Amino acid sequence: MSDEMKEIMLDLLCKKAVYGLDANEENRLADLQRRAGAQDESLSFELTAAAIMMASVDKGEEMPVALRDRIAADAEKHFEPRRSTSPAAPAVADEPVGGSLFGWLGWAFAAAACLALAFNLYYTTRTTDVAQVRPTPSPEAQLTPEQMRQRLIETSPDIARGAWAAGNVKDVTPEGDIVWSDTKQAGYMRLKGLPVNDPTKETYQLWIFDETQSDKTPIDGGTFNVNSEGEIIVPIDAKLQPRNTKMYAITIEKPGGVVVSDRKRLVALAKRET
């Protein structure tokens, strides 16, 4: 048999041990073994594969002693060369007439096949193990702005509140309130009645007045847009840390906001409730 045919047979034996063969491949393997006059070495490859697989099994749960001893005895009986019982006779492996694959193909080829099988199994089982131990992330419930506002209120004993009132812009009568926590440096505006704005032309901007800042330079609370009618809830994005707020204002500014507002277009005011 040519070396090419031997390699094909080796490939089929390895594949059978790791993945299994379909009917056509089984017939091909049987034909090659018949032509080579070699016995079926499928069990040898399967035991090798099983041994490698066992080496990568998680040792967290101990194997029963009886089962471990039985596997060891079976492996020893199968793999150790069977020797003559006569003390005068030289130790000779008891091989069938046709010759074992490990005999006529040579131990070098067999070892190479087992190494290739081990390499394949190692990376296959390693990938499987990683996939098995990686925890499936549980999707966290996405809270709505209203739910986040309510959570802040329920968990912040120092919450400050203020109700919105009209500013100096005609026909704009805002409703709603503002809540803020100094401890958590977080807050929300609940608003209704602000006109929808065109972000390419103008934006709304919040200003926070507190005791640490001059009234001429209140703290920038962030910009926001109104793109629909009805009530909206907007998180506050304070650029500095307010420490004792006393009043809040919303103005209309150019896109992107300003550093200091002239307050010519003041659409809403809220005083901290005591």
Side-chain angles (χ1 to χ4, degrees), residues 36-39 95-101 104:
Q39 68 183 47
E95 297 291 350
V97 176
S100 166
L101 174 64
W104 65 263

Side-chain angles (χ1 to χ4, degrees), residues 135-253:
T136 303
S138 56
E140 294 185 4
Q142 184 66 37
L143 298 181
T144 64
E146 182 178 1
Q147 291 171 326
M148 290 189 289
R149 172 184 176 275
Q150 188 60 34
R151 175 177 289 185
L152 178 68
I153 294 173
E154 293 172 353
T155 59
S156 305
D158 68 332
I159 202 77
R161 297 173 180 266
W164 292 114
N168 59 14
V169 177
K170 186 179 179 181
D171 298 329
V172 177
T173 54
E175 300 176 14
D177 59 14
I178 182 171
V179 294
W180 174 263
S181 167
D182 282 344
T183 302
K184 296 188 176 180
Q185 287 294 301
Y188 292 88
M189 294 177 281
R190 184 170 59 176
L191 288 157
K192 184 178 180 181
L194 291 185
V196 174
N197 67 295
D198 182 352
T200 63
K201 297 179 180 179
E202 58 189 16
T203 189
Y204 291 102
Q205 189 165 1
L206 172 68
W207 303 97
I208 303 172
F209 297 80
D210 78 345
E211 293 182 352
T212 64
Q213 290 286 124
S214 166
D215 288 349
K216 295 181 180 180
T217 57
I219 296 173
D220 178 4
T223 61
F224 64 97
N225 298 302
V226 178
N227 53 22
S228 63
E229 300 290 342
E231 184 178 272
I232 61 171
I233 295 179
V234 182
I236 296 172
D237 180 22
K239 301 303 186 288
L240 297 176
Q241 294 187 349
R243 285 304 176 190
N244 192 9
T245 60
K246 56 184 180 179
M247 189 170 66
Y248 315 90
I250 298 175
T251 60
I252 298 177
E253 306 294 348

